[in-house]
Amino acid sequence: MSSTTRDAATVAAGSARVPLRLPTASSTFIVGIAGYLGVNLSPYMIIAVQQGLDADVLTASWLVTGALLLTALTGLAVAPLCAGRSRRTVARVGLLLAVVGFGLAALVPALLLPGLLVGGVGAGGAVAASGAAIAAFRNPDRVAGFYGLANRGIITVVLAVVPLIGLAPIDVFGSMAVFSLVALALATWLPAAPAAPVHAAAAAGAAVPLEIPPTGTVRTAAKPSRTVTIAGFTLLVVFALWAASEDSLWAMVGVMGADQAGLTPEGLGIALSGATAGGLIASIALMIVGDRLGRGIPLIVLLVIGGILKIVQGYISDPTLFVVVFIVWNTTYALVFAFFISTSAALDADGRWSGPLLATYLVGSALTPVIGANLVAALGYQGFTLTLAIASFVLAVPAGIIGLLSRRLECQAAEVAA
């Protein structure tokens, strides 16, 4: 039996993916959003750190970046645990640390910095546990669409409400602590890692007795083939590089729009709001389409389109057109992000790759303001966008190949299961 067929047998016999239901979906999505809250609220966190520590903007920015990097590194470190029976434990411990850390940052000025860092570490556990849990559901493409919709919808509300409360440490970090507490209460419904697969011989027609584990226990799945392992690690590297490319443009859009197209602050607000709306539309579209289009071809096409849009963005001098192209680019970005998630989830139902994937994104994006600023200084806006476009074109090849592999494994798994 070939390694691909063996992997398909593993997926078919042992994945036991569950349907998307409200309790498990709510838990998975809210825990993930809690883990990513620092990324989305980073502009507010910088202001809160400035007020709490009487620091300048550069110092505050680096402190927040440090917390985000801790989230990423922690997520990568604990991701293997989330592919087994420890998934809910990792989520609970991480969210408890987030509640304590952000709570201290909100309430005790002298402990703002250590509290921020502890909260960042805790968020990493939530990111890894949620990412791994996504792989437990059927139809990863549709699930990725639902996740994107929930993420952008809830974050849009949070981004609008927090400034109304205030941007002092007690307001920003207090909100993060409360949200983490809600996620902690929901963590008990995270879907567990599937039971171990039937031996591959079963896929070849041999009769293999199946041991039913006692109620409440979870058995470890079989080790994936070298092909899937290489594909998984390659996907993580590609995703990190893609994240750095995409978020560099996002970080520079305000400065770039003002210098190149005369974009006003009001216009920038429209661009960012429209980008969020575009992401919502993309998520809804993926929820409807599901896996009908596959993953490999959509990933290649979307990455190429995204690269072209980046080049166009570097040559626009009209502010209205600048905003329109930016919104279209961000809609494409949201679709690519969702396809990356579904591809990682389809490679292994235990979440071996979807667990570290979301943390990997943070590694790629945490330093993008610095990366973007240096590229613009060295190459100018047109050279900057061209460089990012070339990155998209190059990354489209391995991303598409891995997407095709994940889809082929799913189709073969369905045949084996039948």
Side-chain angles (χ1 to χ4, degrees):
M1 179 182 294
S2 69
S3 63
T4 303
T5 305
R6 184 174 69 250
D7 290 322
T10 297
V11 173
S15 65
R17 296 182 191 263
V18 298
L20 197 66
R21 295 287 183 263
L22 183 61
T24 51
S26 299
S27 176
T28 301
F29 298 161
I30 295 298
V31 169
I33 294 169
Y36 258 49
L37 205 58
V39 180
N40 293 285
L41 294 184
S42 57
Y44 300 160
M45 292 171 66
I46 291 171
I47 296 173
V49 171
Q50 280 186 275
Q51 293 186 20
L53 298 180
D54 193 23
D56 57 64
V57 64
L58 182 60
T59 301
S61 298
W62 274 109
L63 292 177
V64 172
T65 296
L68 296 181
L69 284 175
L70 281 176
T71 298
L73 295 176
T74 303
L76 289 174
V78 302
L81 298 175
C82 298
R85 66 180 67 198
S86 302
R87 178 179 301 165
R88 290 172 185 161
T89 301
V90 170
R92 291 188 182 110
V93 172
L95 289 167
L96 182 60
L97 286 175
V99 171
V100 172
F102 293 133
L104 288 174
L107 299 173
V108 186
L111 297 179
L112 190 152
L113 179 56
L116 174 62
L117 299 180
V118 170
V121 170
V127 167
S130 172
I134 289 176
F137 295 105
R138 299 171 190 166
N139 199 325
D141 302 276
R142 184 165 285 121
V143 173
F146 273 103
Y147 176 76
L149 181 65
N151 191 344
R152 288 177 178 269
I154 292 174
I155 289 301
T156 299
V157 174
V158 172
L159 287 172
V161 170
V162 170
L164 299 178
I165 301 173
L167 295 180
I170 191 171
D171 304 312
V172 176
F173 298 125
S175 298
M176 296 173 71
V178 170
F179 197 98
S180 298
L181 185 62
V182 172
L184 178 61
L186 295 175
T188 189
W189 286 288
L190 273 179
V198 178
H199 191 275
V208 178
L210 174 63
E211 294 183 15
I212 307 298
T215 303
T217 64
V218 180
R219 287 155 52 191
T220 304
K223 184 179 180 180
S225 75
R226 180 177 297 181
T227 301
V228 171
T229 301
I230 293 173
F233 278 115
T234 303
L235 184 68
L236 296 181
V237 173
V238 168
F239 191 59
L241 294 174
W242 175 79
S245 166
E246 300 296 300
D247 280 13
S248 292
L249 180 56
W250 178 273
M252 291 293 104
V253 66
V255 177
M256 181 176 169
D259 292 346
Q260 180 177 299
L263 192 67
T264 63
E266 292 77 14
L268 177 61
I270 294 173
L272 297 179
S273 300
T276 301
L280 290 172
I281 293 172
S283 298
I284 293 171
L286 190 57
M287 286 162 48
I288 296 171
V289 174
D291 57 3
R292 297 173 196 169
L293 300 178
R295 296 185 197 99
I297 301 303
L299 270 172
I300 293 173
V301 172
L302 289 169
L303 282 167
V304 170
I305 292 175
I308 294 172
L309 289 170
K310 290 174 187 174
I311 295 174
V312 173
Q313 195 85 63
Y315 285 86
I316 296 175
S317 58
D318 178 75
T320 302
L321 188 57
F322 186 93
V323 170
V324 171
V325 173
F326 179 76
I327 292 173
V328 175
W329 164 76
N330 195 258
T331 303
T332 305
Y333 155 87
L335 282 171
V336 174
F337 188 95
F339 274 116
F340 268 118
I341 291 177
S342 64
T343 298
S344 67
L347 283 176
D348 194 302
D350 280 356
R352 279 190 177 95
W353 307 113
S354 61
L357 188 83
L358 296 181
T360 301
Y361 180 86
L362 293 179
V363 175
S365 66
L367 297 175
T368 50
V370 177
I371 295 172
N374 280 284
L375 285 175
V376 167
L379 305 173
Y381 290 126
Q382 294 178 1
F384 167 64
T385 54
L386 179 61
T387 301
L388 300 185
I390 292 173
S392 292
F393 299 150
V394 172
L395 295 175
V397 177
I401 292 172
I402 298 169
L404 289 171
L405 173 64
S406 74
R407 184 64 181 139
R408 185 173 65 180
L409 285 175
E410 258 191 325
C411 292
Q412 290 182 348
E415 295 175 4
V416 171

